[in-house]
Amino acid sequence: MYGPGFFKKAREKINYEKASDGIIDDSQVCAFTGHRPQKLSIEYESSRECLVLKSKLHETIKRVMLAGCFSFMTGMAVGVDTWAAEEVLLLKTRYPDLKLYAAVPYKNQYARLYNWQKERYFRILSRCEKVFLISEDYHKSCFYQRNAFMVNHATVIISVYDGGRGGTANTIALAEKKGIDIYNINPNVEPVSFY
């Protein structure tokens, strides 16, 4: 199904903008941050835990929309970033004014994914208003820079965070320093908290 060069061609179809040139005209942007599936102990997307989490993401995105925010940004990582982006795209079928932006840490972010994940990755990117590229190549701080870029453009954050250490905790800390509203979904607790 995926012949030689299939994903290279898919990547070439994406119009990447340099993050340094990145301009988002929208007055309000909601960025996503959250754990990867293994940290959430989610083995299968069809599991009850994952379906409940996606439902919480959907409802939280709608809540942010009701507050007047119609633009969203994903960091394109496997797990929360991908699921949240898909929820925005699903809602966009009913609310065509919704916009989805992507902040990609480096051009080959997709390289270690399974083929079905790569296809999903490029399907999401192809439907984004803009795709901001943090770095051409991988380097130690490109994920941190991606997260900082998203926080710098965000007025709201939706996070899936259980209190542990890592990139999600760092992103939330950056957002808190800026006084950005955070809608947190704790995967270990039923209700969504807002702080």
Side-chain angles (χ1 to χ4, degrees):
M1 182 173 171
Y2 307 106
F6 180 88
F7 294 109
K8 184 178 179 207
K9 287 176 187 168
R11 185 181 79 181
E12 289 169 358
K13 288 181 183 176
I14 304 300
N15 183 23
Y16 293 95
E17 295 190 24
K18 290 182 181 176
S20 57
D21 301 332
I23 296 173
I24 299 174
D25 295 329
D26 308 328
S27 61
Q28 293 190 59
V29 177
C30 176
F32 300 110
T33 186
H35 300 305
R36 297 205 165 96
Q38 58 271 26
K39 189 159 185 185
L40 294 168
S41 300
I42 291 176
E43 192 172 347
Y44 301 103
E45 281 191 52
S46 59
S47 70
R48 180 188 178 282
E49 294 80 12
C50 190
L51 296 175
V52 167
L53 177 57
K54 287 181 180 184
S55 176
K56 288 180 185 181
L57 277 168
H58 186 89
E59 292 306 313
T60 307
I61 291 165
K62 282 173 63 175
R63 184 171 180 157
V64 168
M65 286 171 51
L66 288 173
C69 182
F70 296 93
S71 298
F72 297 86
M73 186 178 298
T74 176
M76 292 304 296
V78 171
V80 170
D81 288 3
T82 301
W83 301 331
E86 288 177 333
E87 291 302 325
V88 170
L89 293 173
L90 178 65
L91 283 163
K92 189 173 171 64
T93 61
R94 288 184 26 222
Y95 305 96
D97 291 341
L98 287 185
K99 295 179 183 175
L100 180 64
Y101 297 97
V104 175
Y106 65 104
K107 222 169 199 176
N108 285 335
Q109 178 187 19
Y110 68 92
R112 293 186 176 184
L113 301 177
Y114 294 109
N115 281 343
W116 66 269
Q117 292 171 314
K118 291 177 185 177
E119 183 178 17
R120 181 184 211 176
Y121 179 91
F122 286 111
R123 187 173 354 106
I124 292 169
L125 287 185
S126 71
R127 296 185 62 197
C128 288
E129 295 290 317
K130 293 182 181 180
V131 178
F132 297 104
L133 183 64
I134 305 304
S135 174
E136 283 288 329
D137 301 307
Y138 171 81
H139 57 82
K140 268 196 315 191
S141 62
C142 65
F143 288 98
Y144 175 83
Q145 290 173 352
R146 184 267 320 267
N147 296 343
F149 175 86
M150 293 199 316
V151 169
N152 287 336
H153 287 83
T155 52
V156 179
I157 299 284
I158 294 177
S159 61
V160 176
Y161 176 60
D162 63 4
R165 293 170 37 188
T168 301
N170 294 339
T171 304
I172 289 172
L174 287 172
E176 286 174 335
K177 278 184 190 171
K178 286 192 71 181
I180 295 173
D181 290 334
I182 301 169
Y183 291 68
N184 186 56
I185 300 167
N186 185 328
N188 304 319
V189 179
E190 281 301 313
V192 178
S193 63
F194 306 96
Y195 57 94

